[in-house]
Amino acid sequence: MMDLKRPYRTMTEWSKKYGPIFRIKLGFQEMVVLTGYETVKEALVNQADAFADRPIVPIFEDAVKGFGIISARGENWKVMRRFTLSTLRDYGMGKRTIEDKITEECSVLTKTMEAYAGKPFDITTILTAAASNIIVSILFGKHYEYEDATFLQLLKIIGENIQLSGSPAVLLYNLFPKLGFCFGAYKTVMKNEKELHDFIRTTFIEYLQDLDENDQRNFIETFLVQQRQENMKTTHGGYFHNENLIGLVDDLFAAGTDTTANTLRWAILLMMKYPEIQRKVQKEIAKEIGDAQPRIDHQAKMPYTNAVIHEIQRFGDIAPYTLPYATTMDVTFKGFFIPKGTHIIPLLTSVLHDESQWEKPHDFYPEHFLDSEGKFVKRDAFMPFSAGRRKCAGENLAKMELFLFFTSLLQKFTFQPPPGISKDDLDLSPGVGLTSPPMPYKTCAVLR
């Protein structure tokens, strides 16, 4: 009954028959699926405290043991989220310092694209490297060249694990963990996790050697200073231990790389598919920015470009469903009794395509975010970063990256399909994985 490659599609179909709240049983695991804007908002925003936990998902439990931030639970999650948000702000999330890093990366990216001289190329690796370098600068205080072997291996590990974590084999493992030895995908994920964790551990051991509490240079060093201070105050151990550090860096590195890079891949594919929209964006860039370096201050004067970026996120639908939530208490929700600890699946794709909220939910239509006068308008049903207590911690950073990368690329280039391929041939169906990237494609970046 279930489309194992894209389970969210089956769940969406079921919601038409069974309504916006229904229960399913996968293997031995019962889950409650929430669909549509009103239902998801009521749970994640209006009753945020009741829907704020994470259940144990075997693949993530094996990978990070409930540490870090994404799959953490209880007090550990609260402490790590508080630390993460404050530290990301300290390192410039939403501020000028990180904006400068992003604009520098934009220059590196556009120069790399120029070298292809308008010939067809696969954009995946360089876009992923560019997006990743922003979170890498915060976590490690480093910048990698796009062809750096260590960096490319780390990006390969992250990409492979995100793709495999949403595969049918891993879905089956999560339902029947005792059969793990049967699944090659499970073994690959665990091997990759070990390699990534070894790299993180080696890195922070290096930083420990010359750690200066008065001169913290990156996220890892700030964590290590906190760890040192916590160890001085308590003998029974606290939350700032090495397993939480590895889990945090793993979570932020993967999430900060994959979603932004894949949104940009959708952006370029959609600009090739809809050249008239690409031209309108370029016209607005020429009017408001000219040849200057795009800055975040320009965004307020660029309603059409802003609307296009938001529509790319809505249509691209990078996270059709978030990782499962769990109820923190017994709750009566819209007439249904849901016991404490129940697995909850908020179907974000059903919010981003809710027919009661969007004029053309299944089309790419930037006018969703424009009023009759062409001014940008926010939409309540725009929830690509989820909502409530488990909302994406890097949302502000991702928004800044998307605007600066997108405008820098369209200022310099017009993106066209390779020779012999028309815009009508371009495939807009999503790939398979924990997130939904576009299918692989090549583009020609033609200098303007």
Side-chain angles (χ1 to χ4, degrees):
M1 292 173 70
M2 177 78 79
D3 178 347
L4 290 181
K5 289 187 176 178
R6 298 179 182 88
Y8 58 90
R9 288 187 171 172
T10 307
M11 293 177 196
T12 302
E13 286 305 308
W14 285 343
S15 72
K16 293 173 185 173
K17 182 176 181 181
Y18 300 111
I21 309 167
F22 57 91
R23 183 174 58 179
I24 59 174
K25 192 169 183 181
L26 293 176
F28 301 111
Q29 187 62 61
E30 289 192 344
M31 303 176 182
V32 172
V33 182
L34 307 179
T35 64
Y37 167 66
E38 294 295 343
T39 304
V40 171
K41 183 194 171 201
E42 177 64 29
L44 301 190
V45 180
N46 299 354
Q47 298 193 43
D49 289 336
F51 291 85
D53 212 354
R54 278 273 191 252
I56 291 175
V57 178
I59 190 75
F60 300 117
E61 197 65 19
D62 294 349
V64 291
K65 311 286 187 291
F67 296 120
I69 185 173
I70 291 176
S71 55
R73 297 175 288 280
E75 194 61 28
N76 186 71
W77 167 69
K78 290 177 186 174
V79 173
M80 288 301 103
R81 183 172 175 84
R82 210 162 35 237
F83 169 80
T84 299
L85 288 170
S86 67
T87 307
L88 288 176
R89 277 195 294 270
D90 289 345
Y91 284 103
M93 186 170 80
K95 296 180 188 170
R96 193 87 186 193
T97 45
I98 200 69
E99 184 181 356
D100 291 340
K101 280 195 172 73
I102 299 169
T103 54
E104 285 169 26
E105 198 64 44
C106 289
S107 299
V108 176
L109 179 60
T110 52
K111 283 194 178 77
T112 306
M113 285 192 184
E114 272 183 53
Y116 288 95
K119 296 190 178 77
F121 68 102
D122 186 322
I123 208 161
T124 305
T125 302
I126 62 172
L127 274 186
T128 306
S132 189
N133 257 330
I134 307 306
I135 194 67
V136 161
S137 71
I138 294 172
L139 295 175
F140 305 113
K142 287 184 178 179
H143 179 277
Y144 285 108
E145 301 297 325
Y146 295 172
E147 60 276 3
D148 183 285
T150 301
F151 190 36
L152 289 174
Q153 177 62 11
L154 292 173
L155 297 182
K156 175 179 171 287
I157 285 172
I158 289 170
E160 195 169 58
N161 272 13
I162 288 173
Q163 189 259 320
L164 288 175
S165 294
S167 67
V170 169
L171 175 61
L172 288 169
Y173 169 73
N174 286 333
L175 302 179
F176 307 105
K178 289 183 178 171
L179 298 178
F181 63 89
C182 298
F183 301 119
Y186 170 77
K187 293 174 188 170
T188 303
V189 169
M190 298 316 295
K191 175 178 153 293
N192 284 344
E193 282 295 315
K194 182 181 182 307
E195 189 175 339
L196 178 58
H197 291 182
D198 287 348
F199 170 80
I200 296 168
R201 192 176 286 106
T202 303
T203 302
F204 74 67
I205 287 170
E206 283 174 18
Y207 290 159
L208 267 173
Q209 291 168 0
D210 58 350
L211 187 63
D212 182 350
E213 290 190 20
N214 299 313
D215 183 23
Q216 300 160 36
R217 297 165 297 179
N218 54 61
F219 185 95
I220 291 176
E221 289 192 346
T222 301
F223 187 100
L224 293 171
V225 167
Q226 197 78 26
Q227 183 183 69
R228 186 179 285 177
Q229 291 170 354
E230 185 180 71
N231 289 343
M232 289 166 67
K233 291 177 189 171
T234 177
T235 53
H236 59 267
Y239 296 103
F240 288 86
H241 46 71
N242 291 350
E243 286 79 10
N244 257 334
L245 176 54
I246 290 169
L248 269 183
V249 175
D250 183 338
D251 287 345
L252 294 172
F253 193 6
T257 296
D258 177 82
T259 49
T260 303
N262 280 332
T263 304
L264 289 169
R265 285 174 64 200
W266 274 113
I268 289 171
L269 178 61
L270 288 163
M271 291 305 96
M272 292 196 294
K273 185 81 171 176
Y274 301 103
E276 68 286 358
I277 293 176
Q278 181 172 202
R279 283 192 291 273
K280 284 177 80 172
V281 171
Q282 289 170 330
K283 188 177 176 185
E284 190 173 67
I285 290 171
K287 178 172 176 275
E288 299 298 341
I289 303 177
D291 296 328
Q293 175 70 54
R295 304 296 301 196
I296 209 69
D297 291 344
H298 291 120
Q299 192 169 20
K301 303 174 194 166
M302 301 175 69
Y304 189 76
T305 302
N306 203 11
V308 169
I309 293 169
H310 279 68
E311 182 66 356
I312 288 164
Q313 291 179 268
R314 188 199 70 81
F315 182 87
D317 195 11
I318 289 294
Y321 39 45
T322 65
L323 293 183
Y325 284 56
T327 43
T328 58
M329 59 185 87
D330 290 350
V331 59
T332 299
F333 181 74
K334 288 186 173 282
F336 294 99
F337 174 73
I338 303 177
K340 177 181 178 180
T342 301
H343 284 227
I344 305 291
I345 300 180
L347 213 58
L348 294 185
T349 187
S350 71
V351 179
L352 296 177
H353 297 93
D354 189 328
E355 292 178 2
S356 72
Q357 298 294 316
W358 307 97
E359 294 81 351
K360 299 183 179 181
H362 307 295
D363 296 342
F364 183 68
Y365 186 63
E367 286 75 11
H368 282 139
F369 297 93
L370 295 169
D371 65 13
S372 57
E373 296 174 2
K375 291 178 182 168
F376 179 79
V377 286
K378 291 183 177 179
R379 299 291 293 261
D380 292 339
F382 180 70
M383 283 188 191
F385 299 100
S386 192
R389 300 279 184 267
R390 293 271 176 177
K391 193 176 185 180
C392 171
E395 178 179 353
N396 290 335
L397 177 62
K399 286 177 175 176
M400 187 182 274
E401 286 182 63
L402 290 175
F403 178 77
L404 293 173
F405 276 121
F406 184 68
T407 51
S408 296
L409 289 172
L410 264 67
Q411 181 188 49
K412 279 268 184 161
F413 305 104
T414 295
F415 292 96
Q416 299 172 352
I421 296 176
S422 77
K423 63 176 185 168
D424 299 327
D425 297 328
L426 297 173
D427 184 2
L428 295 183
S429 54
V432 176
L434 197 60
T435 54
S436 292
M439 301 300 276
Y441 67 85
K442 290 190 175 181
T443 186
C444 297
V446 179
L447 263 176
R448 298 181 63 213

